[in-house]
Amino acid sequence: MKKVVLDTYEDVCKAAADIYIEQLKNKPNSILGLATGSTPIGLYERLVRIYNDGGINFSKARSFNLDEYYPIKKNHPQSYDYFMRGHLLDKINILQSDIPNGEADDAISECKRYDAQINAAGGIDLMLLGIGHNGHVGFNEPSVSYNMGTYLTGLTDSSISANSRFFTEDDVQPTKALTMGLGEIFRSKAILMLICGKGKAPIAKKLFEGKIHTDIPACFLLLHPNATVILDKAAALG
Ligand code: F6R
């Protein structure tokens, strides 16, 4: 696992954007794994700017997102579908993008469909990840199995209460999610994890101890042959 520490969040976003420019230059039809959350927002803003300036071309690329609440309407402002369209997908010329369908009637068939689509596309070339304070990746919470494909999972009580502020009283807040499993993520040819902010320093420290803590999902990165973690100083030093 390669570790890169940069001064600021902006530096992390710039370095990550450079990786995307390089990736699409080398393989225009790349399959990109994408994440939501606050961490990649600066990267997505930068990619949109670079795209508008003609510096990157997504026209042959395809994306698969990591996760989605279940059930949730695609046009709900808290859906990851809505997030991705607003921050990136509607603003670039990407050929095709796929997000687990929070509106699917049958979650299990949706997971199978999703995995089959990823496999048919040839697997993910570059998978972008954030990390939770407890080491979660996607909705893979502590002690999850390391070999799963996409699956339906219950949200932890802490995730439900952390997210409750985003849902109004009229909303039925989702208590489940569809997420790529660690096995699916691990099969990506390259993984790029971004860790930013002082709040992530304790989990970053754990990750870089280099031990496989089975209760920290992100530790699977230590086993991956082509994983890069870019941190800002706040996350690296605390
Ligand atoms: C994103 C995701 C989550 C986040 C993680 C960190 O699709 O599934 O695992 O990557 O919760 O979130 P932020 O970036 O908001 O700290």
Side-chain angles (χ1 to χ4, degrees), residues 34-40 66-67 80 129-132 136-139 200:
L34 300 175
T36 57
S38 52
T39 309
L66 197 51
D67 47 9
Y80 289 177
L129 298 176
I131 187 171
H136 75 217
V137 171
F139 276 109
K200 297 280 173 72

Side-chain angles (χ1 to χ4, degrees), residues 34 144 175:
L34 300 175
V144 72
T175 56

Side-chain angles (χ1 to χ4, degrees), residues 47-66:
L47 287 177
V48 169
R49 273 206 306 277
I50 297 169
Y51 165 71
N52 286 332
D53 291 345
I56 193 165
N57 182 6
F58 294 89
S59 66
K60 295 194 167 95
R62 184 169 174 189
S63 69
F64 287 95
N65 256 81
L66 197 51

